Amino acid sequence: MIADDPHLELRLAASERDLRAAQRLRYTVFVEELGGDGDLVDHAERLERDEFDDLCDHLLLIDRRRDAAALEDVVGVYRLLPGERAARAGRFYCDSEYDLDPLRASGRRVLELGRSCVHPDYRGGAAVFLLWSGLADYALAQRTELLFGVASFHGTDIEALAEPLSYLHAFHLAPEELRVRARSEGGQRMDLIPPERIDRRAAMLAMPPLIKAYLRLGGVVGEGAWIDRAFNTTDVCLLMDTARMSARHRDFYARRTVSAE
């Protein structure tokens, strides 16, 4: 089990080298595997980067057996942007895709999650658990109340994604007071199939693992998807209210809260 592997380390990036290793993994996943691109992507150095990287913290899953000098040791990444830091910068990453005014108006402490990825050789429950464990510790330290961020379906063929998008809209839409909405330019309706005609099994089979994980933790989605043609993805905005988690995961979160105080 990866979770029991003494060679694995979970920590925040602490240097420029750490950040470049995170960007190398992101390039492997988002550019080479999924066909994405961007204005600041460095194809020569194989680094996926953008203007938010210097503003965020980067949670890293590191395998110390891999070549750090070659930037190959980071095997899992989460990019984290606390609300206070975003306020000083003037925006979140998601602002370009969604109207986030409901989150700002809530007055609650928020944390934006992004650029989540795991090396193909490490995908599985244990690696994801380690990243989620580190995320929980970070959120507790920040006293976060709302987690949010975009999660992606591969591709931009809306007809092919009609089942899972419709399922999310019909059964996991965020409450009105927290319901962010996709911006009109690039936005896409998600209510493509009437609820009574949705094949729930087919919808879940078509759902990316990260989105399934959020749903199991009580996550909900904003209204509308957003087509990211540069990254060849269809994005949904996922939100998780730590006070609305399922009983099992809320108890887990509460135990961590007690141990952290």
Side-chain angles (χ1 to χ4, degrees), residues 1-6 8 126-127 129-130:
M1 291 288 290
I2 291 178
D4 298 327
D5 192 327
L8 290 178
F129 174 81
L130 279 174

Side-chain angles (χ1 to χ4, degrees), residues 8-243:
L8 290 178
E9 177 186 3
L10 188 69
R11 62 173 173 82
L12 294 179
S15 66
E16 180 63 24
R17 191 225 69 90
D18 284 352
L19 176 56
R20 287 171 61 83
Q23 293 169 335
R24 172 64 55 80
L25 175 64
R26 284 161 37 183
Y27 188 93
T28 298
V29 174
F30 296 128
V31 179
E32 294 179 336
E33 182 179 345
L34 299 179
D37 203 350
D39 293 339
L40 298 181
V41 171
D42 187 335
H43 293 287
E45 295 294 329
R46 298 177 59 237
L47 302 175
E48 191 282 302
R49 59 188 185 185
D50 69 14
E51 67 273 20
F52 282 86
D53 281 337
D54 290 339
L55 185 64
C56 298
D57 288 326
H58 303 263
L59 180 65
L60 310 180
L61 179 61
I62 295 168
D63 187 337
R64 290 188 289 265
R65 292 166 296 189
R66 297 172 65 93
D67 189 346
L71 306 180
E72 299 293 343
D73 57 326
V74 172
V75 298
V77 172
Y78 241 123
R79 190 169 76 175
L80 310 170
L81 179 55
E84 295 86 349
R85 210 176 296 175
R88 292 196 297 270
R91 61 187 289 253
F92 289 99
Y93 175 85
C94 290
D95 271 307
S96 62
E97 301 185 10
Y98 284 84
D99 179 355
L100 302 180
D101 283 350
L103 300 187
R104 292 186 170 93
S106 73
R108 302 177 71 187
R109 295 180 67 86
V110 300
L111 174 65
E112 184 181 46
L113 316 177
R115 291 299 197 270
S116 173
C117 60
V118 175
H119 190 283
D121 294 345
Y122 294 78
R123 289 174 188 166
V128 172
F129 174 81
L130 279 174
L131 284 170
W132 274 94
S133 177
L135 175 60
D137 287 338
Y138 183 94
L140 286 168
Q142 298 289 328
R143 299 193 178 277
T144 301
E145 298 170 276
L146 293 173
L147 310 175
F148 76 98
V150 293
S152 302
F153 292 86
H154 182 46
T156 58
D157 183 347
I158 296 303
E159 184 176 347
L161 298 174
E163 203 88 56
L165 291 177
S166 298
Y167 173 84
L168 290 172
H169 180 90
F171 302 110
H172 294 280
L173 197 61
E176 181 65 34
E177 66 272 16
L178 295 177
R179 192 176 304 166
V180 303
R181 289 173 169 81
R183 297 194 180 278
S184 56
E185 184 178 350
Q188 166 64 49
R189 293 178 64 93
M190 293 169 60
D191 53 341
L192 305 171
I193 301 174
E196 65 275 10
R197 290 176 47 204
I198 295 173
D199 183 334
R200 295 194 185 200
R201 183 174 183 276
M204 290 307 294
L205 286 173
M207 207 77 69
L210 180 62
I211 296 179
K212 289 181 185 178
Y214 279 115
L215 298 183
R216 285 194 294 269
L217 288 167
V220 292
V221 298
E223 185 169 334
W226 200 84
I227 310 302
D228 189 340
R229 302 201 180 277
F231 268 81
N232 190 32
T233 61
T234 298
D235 298 342
V236 295
C237 190
L238 281 152
L239 304 95
M240 190 165 62
D241 185 337
T242 58

